[in-house]
């Protein structure tokens, strides 16, 4: 198993990322490709006894900063460590990619370079959370702030498949995060998603709504929510865990008696600390993309990087999860109108991917026309785009995105936030909660009663 690591990503990079890679290679025998500035990484690696470890360096001269725009960074920095690392996965030269860098850029680049799985509208971050029974899964933990019912349904499917294979739970329990357990609670979006999931017992063991207090009580194995509420819940839990551990340290260090008490309880306290410490489980997979992309915390220390690499090297995640997600989503289709070609979120990213590929082909043609290219070019490294070309690409992207927003809002007025409650109602057929198999969908398309799309 070979893992590509964004060695320039994270608040503590490259020191922490290189040390974490050394730990992973030494402890687990995982082959790691350090992606980043070759000269800097070589110096960092020289500080460790790594001569006999399966670690190599892939040069990437550009770095995506934490405050860079995700969309523009993908287009304007094609030789960044994020871009080059995901290219390795795309070409099959690495099994998975790990980054503690700009999470928005990692998500955007993963969707543009690896692409989404068929029938997946929005990929989602699946994060481990500590529970009374060990761990649970929170999906989405920050990728999608605004969702439709179908997105929550897909999150439930992807989370169930992941938990079944990676955590070896045959029938994981799924719940939707809400403001109460009653079916009448929640929003129109959560109620529509709940109705859909209620018809999918063969594929998803949906048990109903769960409240925020139930996340750590292990009432369900998988908590499904949008990225805004998921990220708030996750950060709240992390903050409280840090607060509690800090208070315990203060309490047990306050006197001789409490220090003696700590010695008696040290084993149990260390076990609790490990369950509450995010660095112990490293990173969260971005489920729904055509490959394995792990997003680690921006402040990841060497141990967190080590564990993120271990998570990325899971055989079940690499080889079993995506095929089953494809199989299930291919069988079940919601009764919703199909978007016209050339419109929508995925169409926008398809155009951006084509633009990237076109630029790569043009750069290759230029290199072939220049026999005096230097050694770096001969090895296949892409030349960075000219300043003028970079600005033009960014401007074109903004125009394309503005056109998408304009047509999307005007052609789908029902998706605009309701002035009464500020919650997007979504498509009315989404809210109906009707589900059809793929075969039934095809029959419906040929029905004489179905309105024809003459656009």
């Amino acid at each position: 198993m070979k893992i590509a690591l964004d060695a320039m990503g994270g608040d503590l990079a490259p020191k922490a990322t290189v040390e974490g890679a050394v730990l992973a290679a030494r402890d687990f025998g995982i082959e790691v490709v350090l992606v980043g500035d070759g000269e800097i990484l070589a110096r960092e690696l020289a500080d460790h006894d790594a001569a006999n470890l399966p670690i190599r360096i892939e040069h990437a001269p550009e770095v995506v900063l934490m405050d860079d725009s995700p969309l523009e960074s993908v287009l304007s920095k094609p030789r960044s460590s994020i871009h080059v690392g995901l290219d390795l996965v795309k070409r099959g030269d690495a099994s998975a990619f790990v980054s503690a860098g700009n999470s928005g850029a990692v998500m955007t680049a993963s969707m543009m370079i690896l692409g989404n799985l068929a029938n997946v509208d929005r990929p989602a971050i699946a994060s481990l959370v500590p529970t009374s029974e060990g761990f649970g899964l929170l999906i989405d933990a920050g990728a999608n702030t605004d969702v439709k019912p179908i997105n929550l349904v897909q999150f439930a499917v992807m989370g169930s498949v992941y938990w079944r294979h990676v955590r070896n739970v045959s029938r994981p329990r799924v719940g939707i995060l809400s403001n109460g357990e009653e079916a009448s609670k929640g929003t129109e979006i959560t109620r529509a998603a709940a109705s859909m999931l209620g018809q999918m017992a063969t594929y998803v063991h949906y048990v109903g709504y769960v409240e925020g207090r139930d996340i750590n009580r292990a009432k369900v194995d998988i908590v499904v929510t949008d990225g805004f509420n998921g990220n708030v819940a996750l950060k709240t839990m992390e903050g409280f865990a840090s607060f509690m551990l800090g208070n315990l340290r203060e309490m047990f260090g306050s006197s001789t008696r409490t220090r003696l008490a700590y010695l008696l309880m040290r084993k149990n306290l260390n076990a609790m600390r490990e369950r509450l410490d995010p660095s112990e489980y490293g990173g969260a997979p971005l489920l729904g993309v055509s490959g394995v992309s792990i997003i680690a915390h921006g402040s990841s220390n060497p141990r967190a990087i080590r564990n993120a690499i271990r998570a990325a090297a899971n055989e079940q995640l690499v080889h079993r999860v995506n095929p089953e997600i494809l199989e299930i989503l291919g069988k079940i289709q919601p009764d919703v109108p199909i978007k016209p070609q050339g419109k929508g979120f995925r169409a926008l990213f398809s155009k951006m991917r084509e633009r990237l590929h076109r630029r790569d082909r043009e750069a290759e043609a230029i290199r072939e026309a220049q026999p005096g290219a230097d050694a770096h070019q001969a090895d296949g490294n892409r030349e960075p785009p000219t300043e003028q070309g970079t600005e033009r690409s960014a401007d074109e992207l903004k125009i394309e995105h503005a056109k998408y927003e304009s047509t999307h809002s005007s052609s789908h007025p029902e998706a605009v936030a309701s002035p009464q409650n500020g919650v997007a109602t979504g498509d009315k057929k989404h809210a109906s909660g009707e589900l059809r198999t793929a075969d039934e969908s095809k029959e419906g398309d040929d029905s004489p009663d179905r309105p024809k799309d003459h656009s």
Side-chain angles (χ1 to χ4, degrees), residues 13 19 35 40 52 58 61 73 168 171 190 230 246 250 257 262 265 270 330 360 367 380 413 418:
E19 184 178 344
V35 185
I40 294 175
N52 298 319
E58 181 78 15
S73 68
N168 199 29
R171 191 164 171 76
T190 60
E250 183 179 336
R257 178 182 296 180
Y262 169 75
M265 302 173 61
N270 285 340
D360 289 345
R367 284 197 300 272
S418 167

Side-chain angles (χ1 to χ4, degrees), residues 21 25 46 72 82-83 117 130 137 148 191 216 226 254 275 316 393 397 410 453:
E72 292 185 10
I82 292 176
H83 200 133
L117 292 174
L137 191 72
K148 294 181 179 180
R191 289 192 291 272
N216 304 111
D226 61 83
S254 61
R275 264 179 41 197
Q316 295 293 319
S393 296
L397 171 61
S410 61
D453 186 0

Side-chain angles (χ1 to χ4, degrees), residues 72-100:
E72 292 185 10
S73 68
V74 176
L75 288 176
S76 63
K77 295 183 177 180
R79 302 180 71 193
S80 71
S81 52
I82 292 176
H83 200 133
V84 173
L86 286 166
D87 272 340
L88 291 175
V89 177
K90 179 71 173 179
R91 298 197 306 264
D93 294 332
S95 300
F97 175 69
V98 174
S99 177

Side-chain angles (χ1 to χ4, degrees), residues 98-121:
V98 174
S99 177
N102 184 320
S103 59
V106 175
M107 288 186 287
T108 303
S110 296
M111 288 187 283
M112 290 180 62
I113 296 172
L114 302 179
N116 290 5
L117 292 174
N119 298 318
V120 172
D121 185 38

Side-chain angles (χ1 to χ4, degrees), residues 270-294:
N270 285 340
M272 181 180 68
R273 180 189 60 78
E274 289 181 1
R275 264 179 41 197
L276 295 177
D277 187 358
S279 68
E280 291 300 320
Y281 35 93
L286 181 64
L287 298 180
V289 295
S290 186
V292 177
S293 182
I294 302 290

